[in-house]
Amino acid sequence: MDGKSYPAGLGFDGPPEVKNWRPLLNWLLAIPHLLILYALRVLRQVLLIISFFAVLFTKAIPGPLFDVIVMTMRYRWRVKTYVVWMRNSYPPFSFNMAANDDGIDPAWVTVERPPEVNRWLPLVKWLLAIPHYIVLIFLTIGTFFAELAAFFVVLFTGRYPPGLRSFQINVHAWRLRVVSYAAFLRDEYPPFALNVSGPGAVPATGGGEAPPAPSMPPSPPPVPPAPPDTGP
């Protein structure tokens, strides 16, 4: 890993065009998702307590446990992009328990699971992450004003400003990296940067190579011209 990459990432690949009325009603339409999010947040807190002891004694978070934690983070991000009117499409009620995003939604979250982590870092990670928490306070204030500006732009133009959207995605990606570090999912210290690359989403159509294109039949070899008639 270099200073511009991290094994935990999120993104949003939806179009910038958004219906003008979305800023007024998306929060209301998202209420079923918000209720589910509350339950998932409680679940994640319980799982993180279990993960703490799992790392302390085994130096690893069990795969199914890791996948569920990442699923809750993915669900939250998908709902977030809808609530702040980045999109027209309604988020799926998907609980795919996998660390790698399945690519069924334009909002994706992927966290690579390490084979093992340092068993003692969970004791001090909350302390080491304090500088990031301070930076995120100011960045979160920035996202508030970005959302406020985007509210009026979408309301009158039907298009989410790409610069404001990119800024918000980068801030949430920074938050994901910090949470992944502080919640024992990764040991690598997050970089202090907005533009950081990370793992992406798996295409919704699944893996595998595309079938080869049909080959054209070979052209017949050129036929030489007949020799001239040399009869008597």
Side-chain angles (χ1 to χ4, degrees), residues 48-66:
L48 288 178
I49 294 174
I50 299 174
S51 299
F52 173 85
F53 291 102
V55 171
L56 203 59
F57 291 106
T58 69
K59 299 196 296 184
I61 299 177
L65 203 64
F66 190 98

Side-chain angles (χ1 to χ4, degrees), residues 93-123:
F93 289 93
S94 173
F95 305 94
N96 181 32
M97 298 177 187
N100 294 325
D101 198 291
D102 53 17
I104 66 171
D105 191 77
W108 53 266
V109 169
T110 291
V111 181
E112 296 177 355
R113 180 175 178 264
E116 69 175 31
V117 291
N118 187 305
R119 73 170 74 223
W120 305 117
L121 276 180
L123 300 174

Side-chain angles (χ1 to χ4, degrees), residues 6-10 66-67 69-71 73-74 98-101 108-114 176-177 179-181 184-186 199-200:
Y6 198 81
L10 61 73
F66 190 98
D67 292 343
I69 294 173
V70 176
M71 179 273 293
M73 300 159 80
R74 179 181 303 122
N100 294 325
D101 198 291
W108 53 266
V109 169
T110 291
V111 181
E112 296 177 355
R113 180 175 178 264
L176 174 73
R177 295 190 294 270
V179 170
S180 299
Y181 173 78
F184 337 123
L185 303 183
R186 300 296 313 190

Side-chain angles (χ1 to χ4, degrees), residues 189-213:
Y189 196 72
F192 285 89
L194 279 174
N195 297 317
V196 176
S197 62
V202 177
T205 54
E209 297 181 356

Side-chain angles (χ1 to χ4, degrees), residues 3-204:
K4 286 293 184 179
S5 65
Y6 198 81
L10 61 73
F12 180 70
D13 303 322
E17 290 77 21
V18 182
K19 294 185 183 299
N20 304 68
W21 55 268
R22 289 290 179 180
L24 302 174
L25 292 180
N26 269 19
W27 65 272
L28 183 62
L29 298 174
I31 286 178
H33 278 296
L34 296 175
L35 295 176
I36 294 174
L37 270 182
Y38 177 79
L40 291 180
R41 184 176 63 180
V42 174
L43 174 63
R44 183 169 64 246
Q45 290 172 346
V46 173
L47 295 182
L48 288 178
I49 294 174
I50 299 174
S51 299
F52 173 85
F53 291 102
V55 171
L56 203 59
F57 291 106
T58 69
K59 299 196 296 184
I61 299 177
L65 203 64
F66 190 98
D67 292 343
V68 174
I69 294 173
V70 176
M71 179 273 293
T72 65
M73 300 159 80
R74 179 181 303 122
Y75 200 100
R76 180 186 182 278
W77 172 236
R78 289 175 175 175
V79 176
K80 176 69 176 181
T81 59
Y82 184 78
V83 171
V84 297
W85 53 89
M86 284 188 188
R87 56 193 286 175
N88 291 316
S89 58
Y90 199 68
F93 289 93
S94 173
F95 305 94
N96 181 32
M97 298 177 187
N100 294 325
D101 198 291
D102 53 17
I104 66 171
D105 191 77
W108 53 266
V109 169
T110 291
V111 181
E112 296 177 355
R113 180 175 178 264
E116 69 175 31
V117 291
N118 187 305
R119 73 170 74 223
W120 305 117
L121 276 180
L123 300 174
V124 296
K125 278 186 174 182
W126 64 272
L127 182 63
L128 299 176
I130 287 178
H132 279 285
Y133 295 148
I134 295 173
V135 174
L136 282 173
I137 290 174
F138 292 98
L139 290 176
T140 302
I141 295 173
T143 60
F144 169 78
F145 287 105
E147 291 170 3
L148 184 63
F151 175 90
F152 291 102
V153 175
V154 173
L155 199 62
F156 290 107
T157 70
R159 182 179 176 85
Y160 210 104
L164 295 180
R165 192 175 80 165
S166 178
F167 171 72
Q168 292 187 71
I169 293 171
N170 286 334
V171 171
H172 284 284
W174 190 325
R175 181 180 290 112
L176 174 73
R177 295 190 294 270
V178 176
V179 170
S180 299
Y181 173 78
F184 337 123
L185 303 183
R186 300 296 313 190
D187 275 350
E188 300 88 350
Y189 196 72
F192 285 89
L194 279 174
N195 297 317
V196 176
S197 62
V202 177

Side-chain angles (χ1 to χ4, degrees), residues 228-232:
D229 187 5
T230 58

